[in-house]
Amino acid sequence: MHPTLTIAVKAARRAGTTINRAASDIDRIRVETKAANDFVTEVDRAAEAAIIEVLLDAYPGHGILAEESGQTAGNADSEYQWIIDPLDGTTNFIHGFPQYAISIALAREGIVEQGVVYDPVRNELFTASKGRGAYLNERRIRVSRRTKLAESLLATGFPFRELDNVDAYLAMFRELCQKTAGIRRPGAASLDLAYVASGRVDGFWEMGLSIWDIAAGALLVQEAGGLISDLTGESDYLKTGNVVAATPKVFVQMLPIIQAHRPVGMTA
């Protein structure tokens, strides 16, 4: 395992300990609303602090981009930047719905080279290093071998932050629902991408995500042999927050449907 990935795993597991401890008494957790349907808890902040402490202890010259604290920690001018979501799926967490994860990625000059998605509920650790494959608990993983959209199980996420696009999304959902074996909406994009990488679902799409939701999971998909793009089929998904990911043959069947219903004026 690459040294930086080892440190990322250490940070993810430490955050997982914080989250699991809090999950045993959810009713006592303080919840704040950042925006409509967008929540943060003291657990998010404690997990993020634990991650940053581990990362900067090992690499004090690196930059940090974290969901709750932005770029206030680390060296903003570094060629290395850690991209952190300490608790992807906060809404699930505060309701006791066991589908959430820690996502940590390391980018060098804007290119993601290391990725960790850790599910503390199931103790499942998804890791990837650029050019070295993707793994689940140290076992190599690949996207599924499914080739037909009609036989595929997809995952998705509702555009809860950008309700202006909900009609376009529902049109995508309607057509894909009719042309697949089923669609699931678990509620944590990093895990959805990890599930594409491990073959548990055959494809995933969502609009309006943030870079920390996507960075680690996107590397997992790529290193597991999948395809990932924005809504135009290009590679700007980390900037746009709009993602389509799937096994290669399913991807080429999904993308035209999603493009056909893309919101007016949305280029990616």
Side-chain angles (χ1 to χ4, degrees):
M1 186 178 289
H2 192 278
T4 52
L5 187 61
T6 299
I7 293 299
V9 168
K10 178 181 178 181
R13 289 195 181 279
R14 184 169 297 181
T17 298
T18 298
I19 292 167
N20 282 340
R21 188 181 300 120
S24 64
D25 197 2
I26 291 175
D27 291 339
R28 296 176 63 88
I29 296 171
R30 293 192 300 273
V31 180
E32 300 173 20
T33 302
K34 294 191 289 185
N37 302 318
D38 196 1
F39 305 101
V40 62
T41 72
E42 58 192 318
V43 182
D44 295 71
R45 295 191 176 104
E48 184 171 290
I51 292 168
I52 292 172
E53 180 181 10
V54 172
L55 298 180
L56 291 185
D57 183 58
Y59 300 104
H62 284 192
I64 300 286
L65 176 60
E67 179 175 12
E68 307 307 335
S69 57
Q71 290 183 295
T72 58
N75 176 13
D77 296 323
S78 174
E79 65 177 320
Y80 292 96
Q81 183 182 60
W82 293 96
I83 304 166
I84 302 164
D85 190 340
L87 181 51
D88 181 24
T90 299
T91 301
N92 285 349
F93 175 75
I94 62 180
H95 286 84
F97 188 85
Q99 187 77 2
Y100 43 84
I102 298 131
S103 177
I104 303 173
L106 176 63
R108 182 180 184 184
E109 296 182 342
I111 305 299
V112 176
E113 295 186 343
Q114 310 293 338
V116 173
V117 174
Y118 178 50
D119 177 349
V121 176
R122 299 169 185 82
N123 192 29
E124 290 190 332
L125 181 73
F126 299 86
T127 59
S129 293
K130 188 172 180 60
R132 299 187 180 185
Y135 295 81
L136 167 55
N137 292 344
E138 301 183 358
R139 178 180 58 83
R140 186 76 179 261
I141 54 174
R142 299 287 295 177
V143 295
S144 80
R145 296 180 180 178
R146 207 154 277 112
T147 60
K148 297 180 181 178
L149 183 63
E151 298 173 355
S152 296
L153 178 66
L154 305 185
T156 188
F158 301 141
F160 65 95
R161 293 191 186 104
E162 297 184 10
L163 295 179
D164 291 346
N165 295 329
V166 71
D167 289 339
Y169 170 79
L170 290 174
M172 297 174 191
F173 186 95
R174 185 181 301 110
E175 185 169 352
L176 285 167
C177 193
Q178 294 170 344
K179 294 181 176 179
T180 62
I183 299 177
R184 302 291 181 264
R185 199 280 184 183
S190 62
L191 273 181
D192 292 335
L193 289 166
Y195 282 14
V196 173
S198 57
R200 293 176 178 176
V201 296
D202 306 298
F204 165 73
W205 90 99
E206 188 166 353
M207 298 185 292
L209 293 167
S210 298
I211 187 172
W212 42 76
D213 300 318
I214 307 168
L219 183 63
L220 286 167
V221 171
Q222 292 169 322
E223 290 297 320
L227 298 179
I228 184 165
S229 77
D230 58 27
L231 301 191
T232 66
E234 301 298 328
S235 59
D236 283 341
Y237 49 87
L238 292 181
K239 295 179 181 178
T240 66
N242 304 318
V243 175
V244 183
T247 184
K249 291 188 177 179
V250 173
F251 179 91
V252 298
Q253 296 166 73
M254 283 179 64
L255 187 61
I257 294 170
I258 291 168
Q259 289 179 320
H261 300 292
R262 195 168 68 239
V264 175
M266 179 182 283
T267 58

